[in-house]
Amino acid sequence: MFEQHASDVELPDDLRRAVEDELDRDERLYWTAQPIPGRLAMKTLPIMLFAIPWTGFAVFWMAAASGFGQEGLDGPGMCFTLFGLPFVLIGLGMFSAPYWVYRKAGRSAYAITDRRAILLDAGWFGGLNVRSFGP
């Protein structure tokens, strides 16, 4: 059922089993591959670079709104300080984008059979998304 060819990439066992589970009884597998994680992670480099001024300004905003450490911060000053917190978290998310893309690519696979192309893609919160494309 699982034919090896010279262009095949050795998939991790869990992905190989997932591909085999998607095949119909008499469907033949011709080719498998995985995305190159480093190459996909490099595509998120502009997002990570944008995160530098974004996060820097958000941290500066929070520091300025808090009075740069002055005593007695309460009332509206505290609200302005906390207003910057979501922006800092978004900045940290942008900084970590290469990691998440790299991780997702390592848990994804492509397959071509005699009937269709199959894309197995790791979900963000576990599980596996399967898309199938006919001729």
Side-chain angles (χ1 to χ4, degrees), residues 21-100:
D21 288 345
E22 283 300 312
L23 298 178
D24 294 333
R25 183 182 310 269
D26 56 343
E27 191 172 13
R28 292 186 342 173
L29 184 64
Y30 288 126
W31 177 84
T32 58
Q34 278 191 285
I36 300 170
R39 197 174 279 182
L40 288 178
M42 287 300 291
K43 289 184 178 184
T44 62
L45 188 61
I47 294 170
M48 195 175 85
L49 292 175
F50 180 73
I52 294 169
W54 174 282
T55 309
F57 179 77
V59 168
F60 174 76
W61 169 275
M62 290 180 69
S66 70
F68 290 103
Q70 293 178 354
E71 296 295 324
L73 180 66
D74 59 350
M78 181 56 94
C79 289
F80 282 122
T81 301
L82 293 177
F83 181 75
L85 187 60
F87 295 97
V88 170
L89 295 175
I90 290 169
L92 294 176
M94 288 189 286
F95 271 123
S96 66
Y99 167 75
W100 294 110

